[in-house]
Amino acid sequence: MIRILQKDNRITKTIFAVVIGAAIVTMVITLVPGIFQDGTTTQQGVFATVRSPGWLGRLSGDSISIQTADVQRQAQQQMQQQNLPPFYLQFVMQRAGQIQVERAVLQREADRLGLQVSDDDLKNFLKSGPYSQYIFPGGQFIGEDQYINFVETYFRLPIADFEQQVKSDLEIQRLQALVSGGVSVSDAAVRADYLKTGTKVKFDYAVISAASISQTINPSDADLQAYFKANSTRYASAVPEERKIQFFSFDSSNLPNGGTAPVSDAEVAAYYAAHQDQYKTQEQVKTRHILITVAKGADAKTDAAAKAKAEDILKQVKAGGNFADLAKKNSDDPGSKDQGGELPLIPTAGLDPTYAKAAMALNPGQTSDVVRSQFGYHIIQTEQKQPASTKTLAEVRPSIVEAIQAQKSSSAATNYGAQLVAEAKKDGIQKTADAHNLHAQTTDFLGRSGSISSLPDSAALISAAFGAAKGAAPQVVSTGEGYAIFQVVDVQAAHAPDFASYKDHILTDYRQDKTPQLLNEALIKLADRAKVLNDLHKAAAEQKIDVKTSDLVGRDAQVTDIGAMSGAASVAFTMAKGAISGPINEGANGAVLQLTDKQEPTADDIAKNFAATKDKLLDAKRQEAFSVFVGTLMDRYEKANAISYSKKPASPLGL
């Protein structure tokens, strides 16, 4: 075969190339994992993987993995921010995961288009972007250690992850700019939009409240009983579960030997040695200063002028001028100038490093030369210095004794609680309480939101009781000032109420169900009558309804008893002067309007707001264009099976 290939025969070589190529493809299909995946992945700890669509993406094996831990962390942060209950986690995780998948798809597309962000791009962004004031204050890098501390404190990420996240954000921004860069809006569209948003109206309006309609609904007992029966499913568990609890409690006064124990010198010394950081005081300094600010990025001429002004003030100080008076007259620090430039005793770690160094170099009463900091030029007068130090054992001994005694008392209470609960498991609540001269008691039936007046804090006990089975072994819980040993002695399951005891609730529900329809009927009646009379005031007077008058308002306004003018009341902007609206029903209140004035923007108004309106429209259209692009791109990736999701774990809720 080698001899054949060595011959100058192009057809033969082509045939062999095809054969060999087919063999390679067959091997790839057989050996490359996921070449014919069905959109799922079984990688441990991976929520989803994203690769390039098409054969090259399958062959290269190059993919972006979205880690389940990252998705869960983002979901939990959203849960905390929105104060959502735990059962929402599955929903929030799916949405958070989808967002990260979309980001991965966009990043891969940006990579394909050569929009990668370099290390230099990242550095320039950190130096001039929104983080610059923290990472490069005054144009100077804060140092590696402080940089790491800043990122870990505010972003809770390792440096490498933070920088990769910023690069990814910048790359997607570049892609968005590329996709939406050609979007434009016509001048006519800008004028039309401002004509719409800039129009203001004034109107009279008659309001009918849902509350007033509700009070007119007075069904008979027969009506309510029929309603109660028809809605039996709704009321099947209207009375929530309740529990009866037997318990006794104790606090430090009930502990054997009063819960107190002597504290030895050795214990005090050991505590002091183990808590040295608590007894250290930072270096601090109290100063007055006069600040002549220099704006960030100011040119050399501006900087020189500020320095010259500071040097002139320094000459006045050295010539005997009153420092406080000169500070009040000249300082640019609004926080201290009215106090004659005086600052409180401050840890030097919280000051600008240059300022702190200069202040600590002075003795109390001395004044510095002109000092340059990131804020500008200072003249500093030191009033008091306090070096870093550690309080002696003698100074802090009383507080240490108190802390150790508190620890011993807490430990004694915990041990006593464990002893009592063990006895209660053996002998029962009542016998155990009697044996230790403690008072056992049994509550009435309590709901989850109930309380026990004899305890300082009964929330933990009631919560634990609703997690325990009837007759289960006694448990011990904290009561805020001590502990309680308890047992659930009876459970009353959630059940339907009897009509008589629940009649008031049924009446409220009946009214809530009937009110919307009756409110709408009343509004229709008012609107129809007003249109017949062509006068809202007369129609409202006939029905004994008050009429109010609005201010001249735009679409972004709020009107009393109507609410946002961007809602149902926005119909007012489409009405002619004198016209009467149909029913405007916002739920809590309904209204009928009669337009009394309408003012559209003038040509001058449109011209003044043209640029801002155009920017707003452009931004909206760019967002719309990019959203369409993202949707199309995601559809392409999904159809190509370029997104592989892990098989979802079974949800305890069956989601």
Side-chain angles (χ1 to χ4, degrees), residues 154-173:
Y154 292 98
F155 298 94
R156 297 180 181 178
L157 290 171
I159 285 292
D161 291 353
F162 167 72
E163 292 183 347
Q164 185 55 47
Q165 180 74 36
V166 174
K167 280 186 174 182
S168 176
D169 290 342
L170 292 175
E171 196 170 342
I172 292 172
Q173 287 173 19

Side-chain angles (χ1 to χ4, degrees), residues 106 172-173 176-177 179-181 183-185 615-631:
L106 291 171
I172 292 172
Q173 287 173 19
Q176 185 169 3
V179 170
S180 60
V183 172
S184 62
V185 292
D615 287 344
K616 183 195 73 173
L617 284 180
L618 268 175
D619 184 60
K621 282 190 170 291
R622 285 170 179 160
Q623 292 289 346
E624 181 182 354
F626 191 62
S627 294
V628 171
F629 170 79
V630 172

Side-chain angles (χ1 to χ4, degrees), residues 48-122:
T49 57
V50 176
R51 59 168 178 77
S52 297
W55 283 95
L56 284 177
R58 294 181 185 272
L59 294 172
S60 68
D62 180 27
S63 63
I64 298 174
S65 294
I66 292 95
Q67 301 299 315
T68 303
D70 293 337
V71 174
Q72 191 164 19
R73 181 167 53 249
Q74 182 179 337
Q76 287 172 339
Q77 288 174 353
Q78 292 177 12
M79 295 272 290
Q80 290 173 359
Q81 291 167 358
Q82 299 173 40
N83 197 27
L84 296 174
F87 64 80
Y88 272 86
L89 181 61
Q90 289 295 332
F91 297 102
V92 179
M93 268 198 72
Q94 288 303 315
R95 180 57 189 147
Q98 189 61 30
I99 290 171
Q100 292 199 28
V101 168
E102 287 182 5
R103 281 184 61 89
V105 169
L106 291 171
Q107 186 175 337
R108 186 160 286 286
E109 189 67 9
D111 288 345
R112 185 183 71 80
L113 295 171
L115 302 177
Q116 291 90 340
V117 175
S118 68
D119 289 342
D120 286 341
D121 294 333
L122 172 66

Side-chain angles (χ1 to χ4, degrees), residues 411-564:
S411 178
T414 301
N415 293 337
Y416 192 50
Q419 174 193 332
L420 292 177
V421 82
E423 290 181 26
K425 287 178 181 179
K426 179 183 175 183
D427 301 328
I429 296 286
Q430 187 66 56
K431 277 189 176 182
T432 303
D434 291 343
H436 294 273
N437 296 316
L438 298 170
H439 175 59
Q441 53 188 301
T442 302
T443 69
D444 292 329
F445 279 106
L446 297 172
R448 289 179 183 272
S449 59
S451 64
I452 302 172
S453 60
S454 60
L455 295 178
D457 182 355
S458 60
L461 190 154
I462 291 175
S463 176
F466 273 86
K470 176 183 176 180
Q475 299 179 39
V476 59
V477 293
S478 171
T479 60
E481 295 179 5
Y483 292 89
I485 287 76
F486 78 92
Q487 188 174 36
V488 177
V489 295
D490 201 359
V491 176
Q492 192 173 73
H495 59 278
D498 62 85
F499 175 79
S501 65
Y502 215 67
K503 181 179 174 181
D504 289 344
H505 293 281
I506 298 167
L507 174 60
T508 298
D509 293 342
Y510 185 94
R511 285 173 168 173
Q512 285 178 345
D513 284 357
K514 300 294 183 184
T515 294
Q517 179 184 346
L518 295 179
L519 174 60
N520 206 49
E521 289 173 358
L523 290 169
I524 291 171
K525 179 181 176 182
L526 174 61
D528 289 348
R529 184 58 178 163
K531 288 175 182 178
V532 168
L533 299 174
N534 196 30
D535 191 324
L536 178 62
H537 284 265
K538 287 183 179 179
E542 288 179 357
Q543 298 179 32
K544 298 181 180 179
I545 300 170
D546 293 334
V547 176
K548 302 179 180 181
T549 300
S550 75
D551 296 326
L552 193 64
V553 295
R555 290 176 182 266
D556 59 348
Q558 294 272 343
V559 176
T560 303
D561 293 328
I562 288 182

Side-chain angles (χ1 to χ4, degrees), residues 277-332:
D277 288 345
Q278 294 181 14
Y279 308 122
K280 289 180 178 178
T281 57
Q282 293 179 292
E283 179 183 76
Q284 299 184 88
V285 65
K286 182 178 181 182
T287 58
R288 289 183 185 270
H289 80 131
I290 299 170
L291 170 65
I292 307 302
T293 58
V294 179
K296 187 177 179 181
D299 57 29
K301 183 178 179 181
T302 302
D303 188 282
K307 184 177 181 181
K309 181 178 179 180
E311 288 174 340
D312 180 64
I313 296 169
L314 179 60
K315 288 178 183 178
Q316 295 178 55
V317 172
K318 290 184 174 180
N322 184 281
F323 194 100
D325 291 343
L326 288 169
K328 290 178 181 179
K329 181 179 179 182
N330 298 285
S331 182
D332 292 330

Side-chain angles (χ1 to χ4, degrees), residues 4-30:
I4 293 173
L5 292 175
Q6 285 175 338
K7 293 180 180 180
D8 188 14
N9 187 327
R10 293 183 180 179
I11 295 175
T12 303
K13 290 181 179 179
T14 301
I15 292 170
F16 275 99
V18 170
V19 172
I20 292 169
I24 292 171
V25 170
T26 302
M27 289 173 64
V28 169
I29 291 172
T30 305

